[in-house]
Amino acid sequence: MTAEEVVSEGCSIPVEGEDITPKKDGGVLKMVKKEGTGTELPMTGDKVFVHYVGTLLDGTQFDSSRDRGEKFSFELGKGQVIKAWDIGVATMKVGEICQLICKPEYAYGAAGSPPKIPPNATLVFQVELFEFHGEDITDEEDGGIIRRIITKGEGYTKPNESASVEVWLEGSHEERVFDERELKFEVGEGESLGLPPGVEKALQSMEQGEEALFTIKPKYGFGTAGSDKFNIPPNATLQYKIKLKAFEKAKESWEMNTVEKLEQSAIDKEKGTQYFKEGKYKQASMQYKRIVSWLEHESSLQPEDEEKAKALRLAAHLNLAMCYLKLQEPNPAVENCDKALELDANNEKALFRRGEALVGMKEFDRARADFQRVSQLYPANKAAKSQIVLCQKHIKEQHEKDKRLYANMFQKFAERDAKKEAEQEKEEKKPNGSAMEIDENGAQEQTAA
């Protein structure tokens, strides 16, 4: 039976079908008109694409996506459509066409939807499911982490950065399970436990008790390096099944008073230092970033607290700069040195580290200026003097390279111009076509005379 044949069936609609409501109260009756393919059904949160025709029990049509010529899409189980649809479409396979008879409490209720749907109306929908796919939970919406919910969680809150979480997870690659365990940790510490960044991003999208499947692309997985520990090759797409058993949110900035922010900042500074000593620069940087986010715009500080906050912020920016240098990311290193110098204009570490970052960016003139300033302010700093010599060497090499480049460039220009001149001279020596004709005519006239 084709979709058109299903839609154009008669208007006499008997109230029959399988009760598919969880309560088994007869609120949604389903009758399959055309079987779908495969075994997979859409899950909560999946984006589904359907065509539908909606009628009243007497056959009066009130809506049709087919008449509009455009498929209708929505996220399943999110309350974006009437209850009957969230229940009914969840039971369908791709290619399936079914009839859903929906009692008022699963449709538009006592109010109806004037003017087309009267109060307390039982509705009939013929629905065809074309496709469905999981929810993209990345900030960039680049398809890097796709979620499919197996069991919906409870409540509306989700773990935040530094939340304490208790999870069960199973990681697989090409149907091989490479990681299965129960863990308790703070969001932000996952890398030290061998978890890819995508897992922590996934956790921050989940509700308590939720179980979900996540497809994680290499950018959010183990990247171009892969994982020797789990025998994962470079650029591998991973699948993780995760259950968020319990969590406790970390306090947000607005939930903390000044004393709490200062205390927590001191704790995070110690944590960051420990991570740094272990060579875990990303985790360290996350701790330092929290200090900045809490204290950067704190305006209700007492004079004695202001100095503590300033010292913590300065340390955070200096340490962030060092983390970024270790991670070979010079741009954010420079940004954090600039922030540190706003707090302490002649800070030795900030000037030196900015110089190092600028060397990494091959901005040797600016780098030399920073090292010279360090050397002037802190004459005992021998490393700065060594860096000045290195910068001067790089600058000289760059000048020599530029000279050769420009010399070659000017030589090419000169050769090109000489070639053009030679071609022009050659062209000028050629007899002109029209002049030749005149000479020939003249010669002919003389002969004739």
Side-chain angles (χ1 to χ4, degrees):
M1 182 179 287
T2 66
E4 288 73 17
E5 287 171 339
V6 171
V7 171
S8 62
E9 284 183 337
C11 293
S12 177
I13 303 173
V15 178
E16 58 184 351
E18 179 192 354
D19 182 358
I20 59 170
T21 59
K23 296 178 181 178
K24 297 299 176 188
D25 59 7
V28 185
L29 302 178
K30 178 187 175 185
M31 184 181 293
V32 176
K33 299 284 186 174
K34 176 175 176 276
E35 292 287 347
T37 57
T39 58
E40 198 172 8
L41 303 176
M43 295 179 179
T44 300
D46 282 359
K47 191 163 189 177
V48 298
F49 295 80
V50 301
H51 260 318
Y52 68 91
V53 177
T55 60
L56 303 177
L57 276 177
D58 64 5
T60 303
Q61 182 176 306
F62 59 82
D63 195 10
S64 171
S65 64
R66 292 187 184 280
D67 289 350
R68 291 192 294 275
E70 186 177 345
K71 293 185 187 79
F72 178 71
S73 65
F74 64 98
E75 290 177 7
L76 192 67
K78 296 290 189 75
Q80 296 177 355
V81 290
I82 59 173
K83 285 181 185 178
W85 274 42
D86 272 338
I87 293 168
V89 175
T91 68
M92 297 179 69
K93 298 171 186 173
V94 169
E96 180 180 320
I97 301 172
C98 73
Q99 175 182 277
L100 299 175
I101 297 179
C102 318
K103 294 287 180 66
E105 56 269 31
Y106 288 88
Y108 292 96
S113 182
K116 292 187 176 181
I117 300 173
N120 294 308
T122 294
L123 306 179
V124 182
F125 287 97
Q126 289 192 358
V127 183
E128 180 175 6
L129 177 61
F130 288 86
E131 62 172 309
F132 57 85
H133 53 72
E135 177 187 6
D136 184 352
I137 63 163
T138 60
D139 296 331
E140 295 84 359
E141 295 186 352
D142 58 11
I145 308 174
I146 300 296
R147 172 174 70 168
R148 304 198 64 214
I149 298 171
I150 300 167
T151 306
K152 198 174 184 311
E154 300 170 353
Y156 298 97
T157 60
K158 298 174 174 65
N160 58 351
E161 192 67 50
S162 298
S164 299
V165 296
E166 184 179 341
V167 304
W168 171 86
L169 56 81
E170 179 186 86
S172 60
H173 172 247
E174 295 182 346
E175 299 185 0
R176 175 181 67 88
V177 174
F178 63 83
D179 188 12
E180 183 179 1
R181 44 186 166 150
E182 289 193 12
L183 293 170
K184 289 182 181 179
F185 63 99
E186 283 188 10
V187 175
E189 297 178 342
E191 190 176 351
S192 62
L193 298 168
L195 299 176
V199 167
E200 293 196 299
K201 182 69 178 170
L203 283 168
Q204 291 178 74
S205 72
M206 299 178 75
E207 297 165 351
Q208 184 152 319
E210 179 180 320
E211 185 174 1
L213 287 169
F214 294 91
T215 301
I216 300 175
K217 293 287 179 66
K219 177 182 174 182
Y220 300 91
F222 294 118
T224 55
S227 170
D228 293 335
K229 179 180 178 180
F230 295 121
N231 194 25
I232 302 296
N235 299 312
T237 295
L238 311 173
Q239 286 76 40
Y240 271 88
K241 186 187 287 186
I242 303 173
K243 182 168 185 178
L244 179 58
K245 299 170 78 173
F247 74 92
E248 186 178 335
K249 285 188 76 169
K251 275 192 173 182
E252 301 284 2
S253 178
W254 54 269
E255 296 175 303
M256 302 168 72
N257 61 36
T258 302
V259 173
E260 287 175 318
K261 285 179 184 177
L262 289 169
E263 287 175 352
Q264 192 58 52
S265 293
I267 292 168
D268 287 338
K269 182 171 176 281
E270 290 304 314
K271 278 188 182 178
T273 301
Q274 188 57 42
Y275 280 132
F276 189 89
K277 286 177 181 175
E278 294 169 4
K280 296 171 182 174
Y281 305 121
K282 282 186 180 177
Q283 289 96 317
S285 68
M286 290 174 77
Q287 299 298 324
Y288 300 134
K289 281 178 185 175
R290 290 177 70 192
I291 298 171
V292 173
S293 68
W294 283 337
L295 300 178
E296 192 168 26
H297 303 295
E298 184 61 33
S299 56
S300 58
L301 292 166
Q302 297 297 320
E304 63 271 18
D305 292 332
E306 201 163 331
E307 283 305 310
K308 288 181 189 174
K310 184 179 177 182
L312 283 164
R313 285 172 58 205
L314 180 60
H317 284 302
L318 290 171
N319 292 340
L320 273 168
M322 182 57 83
C323 286
Y324 286 122
L325 285 170
K326 292 289 186 183
L327 292 166
Q328 297 184 336
E329 296 179 29
N331 286 314
V334 168
E335 289 169 16
N336 277 282
C337 289
D338 289 343
K339 290 280 188 182
L341 290 166
E342 286 174 18
L343 296 165
D344 179 3
N346 294 321
N347 187 276
E348 183 178 7
K349 289 178 180 177
L351 288 167
F352 191 90
R353 289 172 191 176
R354 187 171 70 178
E356 287 183 298
L358 290 167
V359 166
M361 296 163 69
K362 300 191 184 307
E363 295 192 28
F364 302 117
D365 283 313
R366 287 178 63 197
R368 179 177 61 180
D370 275 341
F371 292 129
Q372 285 173 336
R373 195 166 159 203
V374 172
S375 191
Q376 289 163 5
L377 293 168
Y378 307 97
N381 193 320
K382 293 179 181 178
K385 291 172 184 174
S386 299
Q387 288 292 337
I388 292 168
V389 173
L390 282 173
C391 284
Q392 286 170 334
K393 183 185 174 187
H394 283 305
I395 290 165
K396 186 179 178 184
E397 286 172 354
Q398 189 61 50
H399 284 165
E400 291 298 324
K401 188 178 177 183
D402 290 345
K403 266 173 70 177
R404 289 194 298 273
L405 176 69
Y406 292 134
N408 289 337
M409 185 171 68
F410 290 132
Q411 180 63 32
K412 284 177 184 175
F413 287 154
E415 287 172 0
R416 185 192 67 186
D417 291 344
K419 189 178 178 183
K420 274 187 179 178
E421 284 175 16
E423 286 174 353
Q424 194 172 351
E425 284 177 14
K426 192 176 178 183
E427 194 65 34
E428 286 172 356
K429 286 178 182 178
K430 270 187 183 179
N432 187 284
S434 57
M436 190 64 136
E437 287 173 15
I438 294 165
D439 290 343
E440 286 174 356
N441 291 338
Q444 286 171 358
E445 284 171 11
Q446 280 182 331
T447 307

